[in-house]
Structure formats: C-alpha cells, structure tokens
Amino acid sequence: MKDEIALLATVTLLGVLLQAYFSLQVIYARRAFRVSPPLTTGPPGFERVYRAQVNCSEYFPLFLAALWVAGIYFHEGAAALCGLVYLFARFRYFHSYERSAELRLAPMYQSAGALWLLIALGALGLLSHFLPAPLRAALLGWLRTLLPWA
C-alpha cells in the first residue's frame, strides 16, 4: 500500500513545506516593514507578501483533494507530476506577487491550469471507476488511442 502512494505523499509533504515557507516569508515581511500582529495592512510590500501567502493557503486544500483523488483513481505518477508543476507555479506566483501585483498573473494561470488538470484527471478516474466493465474498457481503449505514449 505505501509503495502505491509514495509519490502522492512526497508531493503532499513538499506542499506542506512550501506553505510553511510562505508563512515564514510573512513573518520576515512583518519584521522588515514593522507590521505587528494582528495587523494585516501596512506598506504595499508587506501587503503583497501577506496576500500571496493567504491566497496560496486558500487554494491548498483544493490542491490536496485534487492531487489525491487524481492519484488514487487516475494515475499516481501523472498526478504527482501535475502536483509538482502546481507547487512550482505557486512558488513562482508567490515571489512574483512579492515584487509586483501584475507579475503574479502568469504563474497564477499556470497553477490554475495544473489544478484544473488534476481535477479533470480525478473526474476521469472516478468516472472510469463507476462505469460498468464494458464501458470502462471502451473508455480506456479510447484514451490509449488518444494518448499512445501513456
């Protein structure tokens, strides 16, 4: 069992570490801009770091659910790869937002694309799981024709 979910667990732990890193960046920004808790407003530089961290935290539960559903019901490797793409895009999003609100857009769209792909893979996997065997075989045959390298 553990071998079947090791990639998903690894990507999950990397995601948790990334969330911790984002939280530390807010602490450092509080010190740099002299914004004491519980304040969430201050100079624009602080507010960008704070908003980037909050936004990443808001999407993290969605990411985890989509990652695990796609990994269990579709394919662990494909889900883990999409998860790594998502996390890297979120890392880029955070640091782009830290510099300028406008710079955050490209990495935001990349992370959204990876998240939607995870959701689609999970939906396909669940659909395949609940289909009767003959329909499932036909769907898998169609997917193999569409994606011969997979």
Side-chain angles (χ1 to χ4, degrees):
M1 162 95 179
K2 289 180 186 177
D3 291 339
E4 296 172 5
I5 59 170
L7 292 175
L8 298 176
T10 301
V11 174
T12 299
L13 184 58
L14 288 173
V16 168
L17 291 172
L18 190 60
Q19 291 299 309
Y21 170 78
F22 294 155
S23 295
L24 286 173
Q25 297 310 300
V26 172
I27 292 170
Y28 299 148
R30 283 187 181 282
R31 291 178 185 157
F33 292 104
R34 293 182 169 85
V35 177
S36 297
L39 294 176
T40 58
T41 58
F46 168 76
E47 289 186 9
R48 286 193 307 271
V49 170
Y50 178 76
R51 281 300 316 146
Q53 185 269 333
V54 168
N55 186 273
C56 290
S57 294
E58 289 169 347
Y59 276 86
F60 194 60
L62 301 173
F63 163 70
L64 288 178
L67 173 73
W68 280 86
V69 171
I72 291 170
Y73 286 98
F74 186 80
H75 188 276
E76 183 191 18
L81 181 61
C82 286
L84 289 174
V85 168
Y86 175 85
L87 293 177
F88 181 67
R90 275 297 169 177
F91 180 82
R92 288 185 53 242
Y93 166 84
F94 185 90
H95 286 292
S96 296
Y97 202 168
E98 184 178 32
R99 287 182 303 211
S100 162
E102 292 77 27
L103 293 176
R104 80 191 193 287
L105 294 177
M108 181 183 71
Y109 294 139
Q110 291 166 353
S111 66
L115 185 59
W116 278 110
L117 183 56
L118 280 171
I119 292 168
L121 295 178
L124 273 173
L126 283 170
L127 176 66
S128 173
H129 176 76
F130 288 112
L131 282 177
L135 286 175
R136 184 176 332 134
L139 176 63
L140 290 175
W142 178 76
L143 284 174
R144 283 192 189 104
T145 304
L146 185 65
L147 305 168
W149 65 89

